[in-house]
Amino acid sequence: MTDVDKIMQNALDAFQEYKSVSPAKKADFLNEIAAAIEAKREQLVPVAHEESNLPPARLNGELSRTINQLKMFARLVLEGSWVEAAIDTADKDRTPPKPDTRKMLLPVGPVVVFGASNFPFAFSTAGGDTASALASGSTVVIKGHSAHARTSELVYEAIYAAIKKAGMPEYTVQHVLGSGNTVGKALVQHPAAAGVGFTGSFAGGKALWDLANQRERPIPVFAEMSSINPVVFFPDTLQQNAATLAKTYAGSITLGVGQFCTNPGLLLAIKGEALDHFLALLGKEIEQVVPQKMLHSGIQQSYTKGLQQALVQKGIEKVGAAVAEAGEGEALPTVAKVAAKDFLKNPHLREEIFGPYSLAVVCDDKAVLAEVLSSLKGQLTTTVMATDKDIADHGDIIALQATLAGRIILNDVPTGVEVCASMVHGGPYPSTTDGRYTSVGTTAIKRWVRPVCFQNFKDSMLPEQLKNSNPPDIWRIVNNEWTKNAIV
Amino acid sequence: MTDVDKIMQNALDAFQEYKSVSPAKKADFLNEIAAAIEAKREQLVPVAHEESNLPPARLNGELSRTINQLKMFARLVLEGSWVEAAIDTADKDRTPPKPDTRKMLLPVGPVVVFGASNFPFAFSTAGGDTASALASGSTVVIKGHSAHARTSELVYEAIYAAIKKAGMPEYTVQHVLGSGNTVGKALVQHPAAAGVGFTGSFAGGKALWDLANQRERPIPVFAEMSSINPVVFFPDTLQQNAATLAKTYAGSITLGVGQFCTNPGLLLAIKGEALDHFLALLGKEIEQVVPQKMLHSGIQQSYTKGLQQALVQKGIEKVGAAVAEAGEGEALPTVAKVAAKDFLKNPHLREEIFGPYSLAVVCDDKAVLAEVLSSLKGQLTTTVMATDKDIADHGDIIALQATLAGRIILNDVPTGVEVCASMVHGGPYPSTTDGRYTSVGTTAIKRWVRPVCFQNFKDSMLPEQLKNSNPPDIWRIVNNEWTKNAIV
């Protein structure tokens, strides 16, 4: 029996117990993890800073977000209606007689979670994948990211302390480090694995998805992979607000050294003086940005190489780059532009360059703008920068944008993903492997559950959520009506 | 441009219009299809009978079910809460300011639906896949099953009449006949396809799923494929109710010539006199069943071959078979038995034999019964035949059963799938390609939609379902509370 065998068997054994833990106790457990992480804040932030080069202020914010995310899932579990209970009572007088059927969502089993290099807290060891899987009743095996291995271990210590304090099964959450190509692969291929959560590169996510599909029993992989997050700057707002837009977007493009899945990598607009003026201002803003260290040398080398390749493509023209030189491990913030006709001919320009880089595509007219948008692959986000006049004039373009992405934003930046019930951090392929899910927000739990229907069951045998008296007081669909009422 | 290109382009063009059709008009359209099919009943049933060999009474029932299914989706669309609207309002005073985010489910695009040979109405041209896709706002391309091509064309005529009557886009639903290996493949591979619905064999479903995953942009396939629907007969009920059980299950095993996805193909029990007695009675019941024609010669040949192979496996013993000889195209109802130790060693015995055949597995004790259950792949259904005493004694086995299938049934037969909100006609792989979905019931619509979040949108720009005033009066999650109230 290999280590991976032992780990996955432990996860499966723990699942048999953990899946039946009451919502109240699961909520306590999630809150205990949150508290244990908070208690380690002063230890965690410096280590994460050392490992990721991310500034302490950002890491403190990310840690708070991670803690709030755990608490959000605790509230979701405690409230309980997320199980989508639906009940159709029997009708013996019908021909043929109608049986009593009752449905709810139940956890699938052990979930393998891969830590993400760009979010050592919020998308890693105790991040959204782990929190949502634990909330669902699934156990978790975390493959910590090697770029922040010590941070991952420290966070896991907090989780383990919470397991003990809350009296959960020993192996409810397990933590493993090692190569994605060996350990990660073995975890995903293991028969006991029932789901996979991943945030990272397209190559990494696609490889895991292929592995999962090649299993004897394929399992769902939610991989959040690649997105260039197109932003459309409409003519009137460029005319009215060029300086503000330039400042705001220079900030968004370079926020966190551009290392966000929602980084605005593509800026679209119709040609004209207003656009020229905006790009000139944006170039000036970018020039002032101070280069900063990226997460690790691999990412920095990829960025530098990707940037060099991008800038020599046909028709590419530099709009602006940081004037300060990029030191070792640092990324040079850069914005370039290209005519739509060259963009449309060159699929390489549609690929993500992970870092503080953005490409402006200059479109001849609205039809070309629509053509450029239609040429794009699935995205996590797309943004509409527009005045009321723009909105009135360009409803068709905005409608087209909504088909591209999981989230469409008006007059704001795509960076910054609110953790809440209405968030969608997902989108059509290849931004994720399955656009029907999200990795952020309460509905992230839906990735790790499946519906089970109990037919003709006695009340005493049913899960609490499906009993006549509705003990957890949840919203249910009873005979096609939404209600919290008991069935009498 | 090939025919498939034209069809899929038409489906995509129609989608641009159809997706914005109001819920009320979509509901009208679904009801018009139902009415148009009802109006053709006397024409449809004889043709379907001729093509499928299914008896008119069964076909009449199936047609009614198909009509009711369309009406159910019309009601779902009209009620409107299925879009899972969630709203989190802005909080400008928070640090950082919280944006307004609003989420709902939107249709993915053209869905390719494959007709199923065993349900010429309910799982074919205007069946559950088509009805749920149309309800979602997706357009549909139907690949009619060649075994009931004329029935499929007639049903499509009814759909087309409804398109005209309801004023829907010409290509909202299209119908194509031809080989699954050529036309079907080309439809699934076409870039405009956004989803696939299939009910049929494992080989067929798996092939489509592989094709869809190999696309440049993979798309979700919901294939309902293969299930042997294990039924556990517990000791006390065997003791108390042997004669009734034998009669009931002889009926379920041979219903519709055993050509149901939910046919009980595996009967599990602990050895003993009660089991011997039950099997003797079941054998006698099976002997009396009159062989009937199967759907088509291909299925009949598969059944006969599968049965012959099954009966020569090590340890297999015949319990009973119809005494009347099977005529041309007919299936011979048969029940066999095998000791658990032989069953566990022989994976072939876990494969579905589509037709009126069932295998009883004789288990030495409860532990062996658990071992046999654990050896099974994912199932659509599993059934518990038990008295109160059995339930009290065997809670662990029943809990194990619930992990196997999408639906667990107490003291009833698995054949017969109620069309309602709480139904799950789905289950872990390989019963379907994705156990998180169902192909029957209102939630079948979830296969064809994805969530989209609108951030910071003006009220006037939002879909009706997300506007402050809640014009469609649907249930929404507003700031984490379920409510129909407007936002003021």
Side-chain angles (χ1 to χ4, degrees), chain A residues 86 88 94 101 103 218 388 402 405-408 410 418 422 429 436-437 449-450 453 455-456 458 475 482, chain B residues 86 88 94 101 103 218 388 402 405-408 410 418 422 429 436-437 449-450 453 455-456 458 475 482:
Chain A
D88 293 277
R94 200 192 63 173
T101 49
K103 182 205 75 168
D388 286 353
R407 180 164 56 112
I408 177 165
L410 178 67
E418 191 64 29
S422 57
Y429 191 94
R436 295 174 298 176
Y437 294 91
V449 288
R450 66 182 185 92
C453 172
Q455 180 169 326
N456 202 26
K458 288 168 189 292
W475 286 99
W482 287 90
Chain B
D88 293 277
R94 201 193 63 174
T101 48
K103 182 205 74 168
D388 286 353
R407 181 163 56 113
I408 177 164
L410 178 67
E418 191 64 29
S422 57
Y429 191 95
R436 295 174 298 176
Y437 294 91
V449 288
R450 67 182 184 91
C453 172
Q455 180 170 326
N456 202 26
K458 288 168 189 292
W475 286 99
W482 287 89

Side-chain angles (χ1 to χ4, degrees), chain B residues 93-153:
Chain B
D93 298 333
R94 201 193 63 174
T95 315
K98 181 169 172 287
D100 182 291
T101 48
R102 302 181 184 219
K103 182 205 74 168
M104 67 178 286
L105 299 174
L106 290 173
V108 289
V111 172
V112 178
V113 169
F114 286 79
S117 67
N118 61 335
F119 279 93
F121 298 131
F123 287 81
S124 287
T125 320
D129 288 348
T130 298
S132 58
L134 290 177
S136 80
S138 296
T139 52
V140 171
V141 175
I142 297 151
K143 160 65 184 71
H145 199 286
S146 50
H148 55 254
R150 279 192 298 141
T151 305
S152 195
E153 280 179 327

Side-chain angles (χ1 to χ4, degrees), chain A residues 170-193:
Chain A
E170 173 89 8
Y171 299 110
T172 302
V173 186
Q174 297 173 88
H175 182 251
V176 53
L177 290 166
S179 145
N181 286 334
T182 54
V183 177
K185 186 176 167 182
L187 291 169
V188 171
Q189 289 181 318
H190 196 278

